[in-house]
Amino acid sequence: MQGTRRYVVPLTAVALAICYASTFRGMVEQWAQDEDMAHGFVVPLVILWVVWRERDRWRPLPRKASLWGYAILAFAAGLDFAGALGVGLFARSLAFLLSAAGAILCLGGFAWLRVWTFPFVLALFMLPKLAIVYNQVTLPLQLLATRLAATMLTVAGFAVIRSGNILNVAGHRIAVVEACDGIRYLIPLVFTALVLGYLAGSKLWMRVALALAAGPVAILANGIRVAAAAPIPALATGPMHSLAGWLIFLLCLITLALVHRLIQAVYARYAA
């Protein structure tokens, strides 16, 4: 029986890979073409590392197969079929995650699924954009970045005229376009916050708090980037624009680490 199980797991993985090969290809293409999703290349590597790091937790677990796994597999198959008919790549990618969860239930049971909850949460960050959600948040984030930048520039002493998502600073006009809405910072920063909390061995509520803090940090950082580009045209496009983006993201990571230290310090003080 043990020998049979040894072959079932890799065969199941191969079957999933074959069934969702076109989905994987579509996901990789989006990661490569959409800069907002470039972090997708890192997510699978981090997931594999977390699973390997936690091997002492899941290897000794007893295998108690659950029939719920077959129900989840059936639902995932229907979702994948709907995606193939035109619902979209997001549905097919979500179907893959559900199929993986169903396979784990079929082979190992709920104990195995629970111990791999965190890798599944991280896997959500490699899913393609859900267009209906993305389109709803893009414009508000653009306008928020414009308002923040205008406020920062006014405080710094610049004469600023704001019209919608356009800033006019000393005769230089800059439009806060869709690519400057801040999602490029927000999604990878929340992902990084969760990984940072995991590495630090933080409690669950600390990880959630850190992930929530990543939102304001990303939005504020994006406002700073727009504010810097408004009076300095060289930062608005080209290599300097890309360099500024990386420097701002590094600033976000440092800020996130400081926020994590603050959360830990406050908890240690009041828990003592």
Side-chain angles (χ1 to χ4, degrees), residues 27-262:
M27 293 169 67
V28 171
E29 287 176 354
Q30 187 174 92
W31 300 344
Q33 296 170 5
D34 188 345
E35 292 187 11
D36 288 349
M37 292 299 301
H39 63 276
F41 287 105
V42 179
V43 177
L45 299 178
V46 174
I47 291 172
L48 290 174
W49 173 75
V50 171
V51 170
W52 177 250
R53 191 171 187 261
E54 296 288 323
R55 62 190 181 279
D56 291 338
R57 289 184 58 200
W58 54 264
R59 274 180 173 174
L61 291 176
R63 295 182 179 180
K64 297 181 180 179
S66 172
L67 294 178
W68 282 104
Y70 296 101
I72 294 176
L73 284 173
F75 177 78
L79 185 60
D80 182 59
F81 182 69
L85 289 179
V87 174
L89 181 61
F90 180 87
R92 304 196 72 180
S93 302
L94 184 59
F96 163 69
L97 292 186
L98 290 174
S99 294
I104 290 172
L105 284 177
C106 289
L107 297 176
F110 282 99
W112 283 67
L113 189 60
R114 276 194 298 271
V115 83
W116 283 356
T117 297
F118 184 59
F120 271 101
V121 171
L122 295 181
L124 297 176
F125 289 87
M126 69 181 184
L127 295 180
K129 293 176 186 173
L130 186 57
I132 189 172
V133 175
Y134 181 77
N135 293 335
Q136 289 294 320
V137 302
T138 296
L139 182 58
L141 286 175
Q142 286 177 251
L143 296 176
L144 179 57
T146 308
R147 287 195 293 268
L148 283 174
T151 301
M152 294 175 189
L153 289 167
T154 301
V155 171
F158 290 91
V160 182
I161 299 176
R162 181 175 68 87
S163 177
N165 65 325
I166 298 177
L167 295 175
N168 192 317
V169 183
H172 172 62
R173 286 166 54 89
I174 180 171
V176 182
V177 296
E178 186 176 298
C180 299
D181 57 13
I183 291 180
R184 194 165 301 171
Y185 291 146
L186 182 58
I187 300 177
L189 201 61
V190 174
F191 174 79
T192 303
L194 291 173
V195 175
L196 177 62
Y198 165 77
L199 288 176
S202 301
K203 297 179 180 294
L204 178 61
W205 71 265
M206 287 188 182
R207 299 186 196 182
V208 174
L210 192 61
L212 292 175
V217 170
I219 291 171
L220 182 60
N222 191 51
I224 293 173
R225 185 175 66 87
V226 174
I232 308 175
L235 296 179
T237 58
M240 291 299 295
H241 178 75
S242 300
L243 178 60
W246 280 106
L247 290 176
I248 290 294
F249 188 72
L250 179 60
L251 178 63
C252 288
L253 294 180
I254 294 173
T255 304
L256 206 58
L258 293 175
V259 170
H260 184 246
R261 292 290 296 273
L262 178 62

